[in-house]
Amino acid sequence: MRAYMAGTGRFLPPDVLTNADFVRMVDTSDEWIVGHTGIRTRHIARTVKNADMAEAAARAAMENAGCAPADIDMVVVSTVTPDRAYPSLACDLQNRLGLPDVFCLDVSAACSGFIYAVDLAARHILTGGARTALVVSSEKLTPTVDYTDRASCILFGDGAGAVVLKGDERQGGGWLGSLLAARGDDGAALQCVPGGRIKMDGHEVFRFAVRVMPEVIEKLLARAGRAVSDCKFIIPHQANLRIIKAVQRRYALPEEKMVVTIDRYGNMSSACIPIALDELNRAGRLEPGDLLLAVGFGAGFTYGATLFEWSE
Ligand code: UT7
């Protein structure tokens, strides 16, 4: 039995904020933002709800996978910015997509959410609990952004990414495992109280990220008996280009191996990784057998990595 990615999708809301827009809002400059973060533009959901973005990404992934609503027997959504506290975004999505009465659950693991959600869905498939799982990471962060705090407001954007995970009886390939972790005692470094704004100690988050990302990459690859050099792409959470570059330098990786979208989209929390994956897929850059590693960290702190072989 294997669980493999059968299709991907994404949605980015149409409105865009450029660095020039921030120069009009706070005391900053294009040079500072690009130099310290790598970000040039980010999309913002002015007119769409989180559920609208999740639905659009999910439909795109289902179409890409060639699967009908009746095929889906599990929905896992990762989000820290649902439109309402409950019912879950997963139940909302089930209703919007006309899915049968299936397992629907929201996961709250901040920027590591996609990695956690894929783990849940893949394990469910591998133990016979589901055959076709829809995994969606959808984040409408911008209403929680404090647009008077120049150190954090420039970082965030909105968007949604989705994958369809399928199970079949073939051996090998597909999802190869993940490593998930959290460190709750550092929770105050990055938080948002209900109805509130993002509060962040940027230095602390930065330090944590550059320490744990290589740690989980190495542990997961060692467990799978693979090396960093075996990976076709590493898809990191997109929080800061300098964090991504630090990982790249540590393994002396060629630039094209590290997937970067932060320049165009900023940090969309858990949506970053599946959106990047969908871009690779739709650009025809993935071939069966390609080894892909996604790695992330976020509020909690949560962190983790997931490894899979692209399969047909
Ligand atoms: O998904 C996880 C979410 N969060 C993160 O990943 C955040 C990780 N941390 C970071 O990305 C970086 O720490 C930041 C981008 C938040 C900040 O970059 P930095 O290079 O660590 O800057 P800094 O905080 O050390 O600030 C340097 C200077 C300060 O001025 P002084 O005290 O040296 O005079 C800041 O006040 O830059 C100033 N500054 C700015 N200047 C122009 C801070 N933000 C801005 C700004 N424009 N937007």
Side-chain angles (χ1 to χ4, degrees), residues 26-29 32-33 36-37 111 150-152 154-156 190 200-203 205-206 237 239-240 242-243 267 269 297-299:
V26 288
D27 180 14
T28 190
S29 65
W32 193 96
I33 300 173
H36 286 249
T37 71
C111 306
R150 66 177 182 170
S152 68
I154 45 131
L155 297 173
F156 300 102
L190 178 54
M200 185 180 78
D201 178 341
H203 285 180
V205 181
F206 198 102
H237 171 51
N240 188 314
R242 285 155 51 213
I243 296 175
N267 181 348
S269 188
F297 61 92

Side-chain angles (χ1 to χ4, degrees), residues 245-304:
K245 291 285 175 199
V247 175
Q248 184 191 331
R249 274 196 305 274
R250 183 179 178 114
Y251 300 111
L253 293 174
E255 202 160 280
E256 62 276 9
K257 234 180 218 206
M258 292 297 288
V259 181
V260 173
T261 62
I262 189 169
D263 50 333
R264 291 169 291 143
Y265 304 143
N267 181 348
M268 302 167 290
S269 188
S270 68
C272 289
I273 291 172
I275 286 175
L277 180 64
D278 184 56
E279 288 197 342
L280 292 174
N281 181 24
R282 286 174 193 262
R285 299 179 68 196
L286 301 178
E287 286 171 28
D290 283 349
L291 189 65
L292 306 176
L293 186 146
V295 57
F297 61 92
F301 289 126
T302 58
Y303 61 106

Side-chain angles (χ1 to χ4, degrees), residues 14-69:
D15 289 312
V16 170
L17 276 181
T18 65
N19 290 349
D21 293 323
F22 283 95
V23 170
R24 287 188 281 274
M25 282 190 252
V26 288
D27 180 14
T28 190
S29 65
D30 181 54
E31 296 70 36
W32 193 96
I33 300 173
V34 174
H36 286 249
T37 71
I39 302 170
R40 294 177 188 276
T41 55
R42 44 321 256 148
H43 289 247
I44 58 161
R46 273 196 225 280
T47 54
V48 291
K49 298 205 288 189
N50 190 334
D52 298 326
M53 298 195 295
E55 180 184 347
R59 286 190 190 279
M62 287 166 65
E63 196 185 335
N64 188 239
C67 83

Side-chain angles (χ1 to χ4, degrees), residues 123-141:
R123 287 184 198 278
H124 227 71
I125 288 171
L126 293 177
T127 52
R131 192 80 183 173
T132 308
L134 177 63
V135 176
V136 183
S137 295
S138 190
E139 303 285 4
K140 184 170 170 170
L141 289 169

